Amino acid sequence: MQITSKFTIAIHIITAIDYFGDTMKVTSSFLAGSVGANPVIVRNVMGNLKAAGLIETSQGKSGIRLARKLDKITFYDVYRAVECVDDRGLFHFHENPSIRCPVGRNIHRALDGKLRKVQDAMEAELRRITVADVESDIRKEVAAGH
């Protein structure tokens, strides 16, 4: 299992919109260059962010803007926007464990609660971290000459 790069691309996009938004018009082409990804991928992620109410886009003078302040956008918000975790959860179970095997017959019952606890813990941590935390660290790195 691995969370796709759409999550980090989305964090990058949101951070760049805020970082550059006061000094220049932020466009999808600019963001694709900053991310270092295909513009189609960036536009797809932006579509997810827009649908989740995290960014606003316009063809006019303003370009792309945040719909909320950075300290009100959690990692969990971004994760839900781009990862599309469904009701089955983060962990997907193999489909045909053997009912003739004592392990296969009981693996679901033995693992389900534990995997739910892992997902709940991860999601609780995602709710604690905001994109403002990321931008703050970026500004510190820039100030340090990096």
PDB file of all heavy atoms in Angstrom, residues 17 21 24-27 56-65:
ATOM      1  N   ILE A  17       0.333  28.201  -4.133  1.00  0.00           N
ATOM      2  CA  ILE A  17      -0.722  29.205  -4.353  1.00  0.00           C
ATOM      3  C   ILE A  17      -0.636  30.277  -3.279  1.00  0.00           C
ATOM      4  O   ILE A  17      -0.683  31.475  -3.562  1.00  0.00           O
ATOM      5  CB  ILE A  17      -2.123  28.553  -4.378  1.00  0.00           C
ATOM      6  CG1 ILE A  17      -2.291  27.686  -5.625  1.00  0.00           C
ATOM      7  CG2 ILE A  17      -3.220  29.616  -4.304  1.00  0.00           C
ATOM      8  CD1 ILE A  17      -3.517  26.774  -5.585  1.00  0.00           C
ATOM      9  N   GLY A  21       0.787  33.796  -4.279  1.00  0.00           N
ATOM     10  CA  GLY A  21      -0.477  34.441  -4.627  1.00  0.00           C
ATOM     11  C   GLY A  21      -0.514  35.946  -4.474  1.00  0.00           C
ATOM     12  O   GLY A  21      -1.228  36.618  -5.213  1.00  0.00           O
ATOM     13  N   MET A  24       2.101  37.402  -7.629  1.00  0.00           N
ATOM     14  CA  MET A  24       1.931  37.087  -9.046  1.00  0.00           C
ATOM     15  C   MET A  24       0.649  36.295  -9.274  1.00  0.00           C
ATOM     16  O   MET A  24       0.077  35.750  -8.335  1.00  0.00           O
ATOM     17  CB  MET A  24       3.131  36.282  -9.561  1.00  0.00           C
ATOM     18  CG  MET A  24       3.310  34.942  -8.854  1.00  0.00           C
ATOM     19  SD  MET A  24       4.753  34.015  -9.379  1.00  0.00           S
ATOM     20  CE  MET A  24       4.172  33.344 -10.910  1.00  0.00           C
ATOM     21  N   LYS A  25       0.229  36.251 -10.524  1.00  0.00           N
ATOM     22  CA  LYS A  25      -0.916  35.422 -10.887  1.00  0.00           C
ATOM     23  C   LYS A  25      -0.439  33.976 -10.957  1.00  0.00           C
ATOM     24  O   LYS A  25       0.478  33.642 -11.702  1.00  0.00           O
ATOM     25  CB  LYS A  25      -1.480  35.860 -12.241  1.00  0.00           C
ATOM     26  CG  LYS A  25      -2.669  35.056 -12.687  1.00  0.00           C
ATOM     27  CD  LYS A  25      -3.195  35.536 -14.023  1.00  0.00           C
ATOM     28  CE  LYS A  25      -4.315  34.654 -14.516  1.00  0.00           C
ATOM     29  NZ  LYS A  25      -4.804  35.077 -15.826  1.00  0.00           N
ATOM     30  N   VAL A  26      -1.046  33.132 -10.170  1.00  0.00           N
ATOM     31  CA  VAL A  26      -0.681  31.717 -10.138  1.00  0.00           C
ATOM     32  C   VAL A  26      -1.563  30.980 -11.143  1.00  0.00           C
ATOM     33  O   VAL A  26      -2.789  31.042 -11.068  1.00  0.00           O
ATOM     34  CB  VAL A  26      -0.840  31.137  -8.723  1.00  0.00           C
ATOM     35  CG1 VAL A  26      -0.510  29.653  -8.709  1.00  0.00           C
ATOM     36  CG2 VAL A  26       0.038  31.887  -7.727  1.00  0.00           C
ATOM     37  N   THR A  27      -0.922  30.288 -12.072  1.00  0.00           N
ATOM     38  CA  THR A  27      -1.639  29.536 -13.108  1.00  0.00           C
ATOM     39  C   THR A  27      -1.288  28.052 -13.002  1.00  0.00           C
ATOM     40  O   THR A  27      -0.303  27.679 -12.359  1.00  0.00           O
ATOM     41  CB  THR A  27      -1.251  30.031 -14.509  1.00  0.00           C
ATOM     42  OG1 THR A  27       0.146  29.728 -14.724  1.00  0.00           O
ATOM     43  CG2 THR A  27      -1.494  31.532 -14.667  1.00  0.00           C
ATOM     44  N   GLU A  56     -10.034  27.902  -5.480  1.00  0.00           N
ATOM     45  CA  GLU A  56     -10.961  28.510  -6.429  1.00  0.00           C
ATOM     46  C   GLU A  56     -10.162  28.886  -7.660  1.00  0.00           C
ATOM     47  O   GLU A  56      -9.010  29.320  -7.550  1.00  0.00           O
ATOM     48  CB  GLU A  56     -11.594  29.769  -5.822  1.00  0.00           C
ATOM     49  CG  GLU A  56     -12.414  29.481  -4.583  1.00  0.00           C
ATOM     50  CD  GLU A  56     -12.842  30.744  -3.850  1.00  0.00           C
ATOM     51  OE1 GLU A  56     -12.279  31.835  -4.106  1.00  0.00           O
ATOM     52  OE2 GLU A  56     -13.734  30.624  -2.999  1.00  0.00           O
ATOM     53  N   THR A  57     -10.758  28.717  -8.823  1.00  0.00           N
ATOM     54  CA  THR A  57     -10.072  29.073 -10.061  1.00  0.00           C
ATOM     55  C   THR A  57     -10.942  30.032 -10.863  1.00  0.00           C
ATOM     56  O   THR A  57     -12.161  30.000 -10.771  1.00  0.00           O
ATOM     57  CB  THR A  57      -9.780  27.831 -10.926  1.00  0.00           C
ATOM     58  OG1 THR A  57     -11.013  27.187 -11.261  1.00  0.00           O
ATOM     59  CG2 THR A  57      -8.875  26.851 -10.195  1.00  0.00           C
ATOM     60  N   SER A  58     -10.263  30.883 -11.619  1.00  0.00           N
ATOM     61  CA  SER A  58     -10.979  31.779 -12.528  1.00  0.00           C
ATOM     62  C   SER A  58     -10.087  32.063 -13.721  1.00  0.00           C
ATOM     63  O   SER A  58      -8.856  32.004 -13.626  1.00  0.00           O
ATOM     64  CB  SER A  58     -11.375  33.075 -11.826  1.00  0.00           C
ATOM     65  OG  SER A  58     -10.225  33.840 -11.538  1.00  0.00           O
ATOM     66  N   GLN A  59     -10.696  32.357 -14.834  1.00  0.00           N
ATOM     67  CA  GLN A  59      -9.954  32.661 -16.053  1.00  0.00           C
ATOM     68  C   GLN A  59      -9.436  34.096 -16.046  1.00  0.00           C
ATOM     69  O   GLN A  59      -8.589  34.450 -16.817  1.00  0.00           O
ATOM     70  CB  GLN A  59     -10.849  32.453 -17.285  1.00  0.00           C
ATOM     71  CG  GLN A  59     -11.290  31.020 -17.480  1.00  0.00           C
ATOM     72  CD  GLN A  59     -10.124  30.087 -17.730  1.00  0.00           C
ATOM     73  OE1 GLN A  59      -9.127  30.466 -18.328  1.00  0.00           O
ATOM     74  NE2 GLN A  59     -10.231  28.865 -17.242  1.00  0.00           N
ATOM     75  N   GLY A  60      -9.957  34.907 -15.164  1.00  0.00           N
ATOM     76  CA  GLY A  60      -9.623  36.325 -15.152  1.00  0.00           C
ATOM     77  C   GLY A  60      -8.284  36.636 -14.531  1.00  0.00           C
ATOM     78  O   GLY A  60      -7.379  35.811 -14.450  1.00  0.00           O
ATOM     79  N   LYS A  61      -8.200  37.831 -14.033  1.00  0.00           N
ATOM     80  CA  LYS A  61      -6.969  38.412 -13.515  1.00  0.00           C
ATOM     81  C   LYS A  61      -6.418  37.678 -12.295  1.00  0.00           C
ATOM     82  O   LYS A  61      -5.209  37.615 -12.080  1.00  0.00           O
ATOM     83  CB  LYS A  61      -7.255  39.880 -13.175  1.00  0.00           C
ATOM     84  CG  LYS A  61      -6.069  40.695 -12.845  1.00  0.00           C
ATOM     85  CD  LYS A  61      -6.519  42.141 -12.634  1.00  0.00           C
ATOM     86  CE  LYS A  61      -5.341  42.999 -12.242  1.00  0.00           C
ATOM     87  NZ  LYS A  61      -5.749  44.377 -11.999  1.00  0.00           N
ATOM     88  N   SER A  62      -7.299  37.120 -11.484  1.00  0.00           N
ATOM     89  CA  SER A  62      -6.848  36.568 -10.209  1.00  0.00           C
ATOM     90  C   SER A  62      -6.224  35.179 -10.295  1.00  0.00           C
ATOM     91  O   SER A  62      -5.461  34.791  -9.420  1.00  0.00           O
ATOM     92  CB  SER A  62      -8.007  36.555  -9.219  1.00  0.00           C
ATOM     93  OG  SER A  62      -9.058  35.768  -9.727  1.00  0.00           O
ATOM     94  N   GLY A  63      -6.530  34.405 -11.305  1.00  0.00           N
ATOM     95  CA  GLY A  63      -5.959  33.065 -11.420  1.00  0.00           C
ATOM     96  C   GLY A  63      -6.499  32.126 -10.372  1.00  0.00           C
ATOM     97  O   GLY A  63      -7.692  32.078 -10.116  1.00  0.00           O
ATOM     98  N   ILE A  64      -5.612  31.401  -9.706  1.00  0.00           N
ATOM     99  CA  ILE A  64      -5.990  30.379  -8.734  1.00  0.00           C
ATOM    100  C   ILE A  64      -5.786  30.939  -7.332  1.00  0.00           C
ATOM    101  O   ILE A  64      -4.750  31.533  -7.038  1.00  0.00           O
ATOM    102  CB  ILE A  64      -5.132  29.112  -8.942  1.00  0.00           C
ATOM    103  CG1 ILE A  64      -5.284  28.622 -10.380  1.00  0.00           C
ATOM    104  CG2 ILE A  64      -5.524  28.030  -7.952  1.00  0.00           C
ATOM    105  CD1 ILE A  64      -4.184  27.692 -10.824  1.00  0.00           C
ATOM    106  N   ARG A  65      -6.786  30.732  -6.475  1.00  0.00           N
ATOM    107  CA  ARG A  65      -6.720  31.220  -5.097  1.00  0.00           C
ATOM    108  C   ARG A  65      -7.127  30.098  -4.141  1.00  0.00           C
ATOM    109  O   ARG A  65      -7.821  29.165  -4.537  1.00  0.00           O
ATOM    110  CB  ARG A  65      -7.692  32.384  -4.887  1.00  0.00           C
ATOM    111  CG  ARG A  65      -7.427  33.617  -5.708  1.00  0.00           C
ATOM    112  CD  ARG A  65      -8.482  34.701  -5.451  1.00  0.00           C
ATOM    113  NE  ARG A  65      -9.859  34.232  -5.430  1.00  0.00           N
ATOM    114  CZ  ARG A  65     -10.612  34.039  -6.518  1.00  0.00           C
ATOM    115  NH1 ARG A  65     -10.137  34.242  -7.716  1.00  0.00           N
ATOM    116  NH2 ARG A  65     -11.859  33.625  -6.392  1.00  0.00           N
TER     117      ARG A  65
END
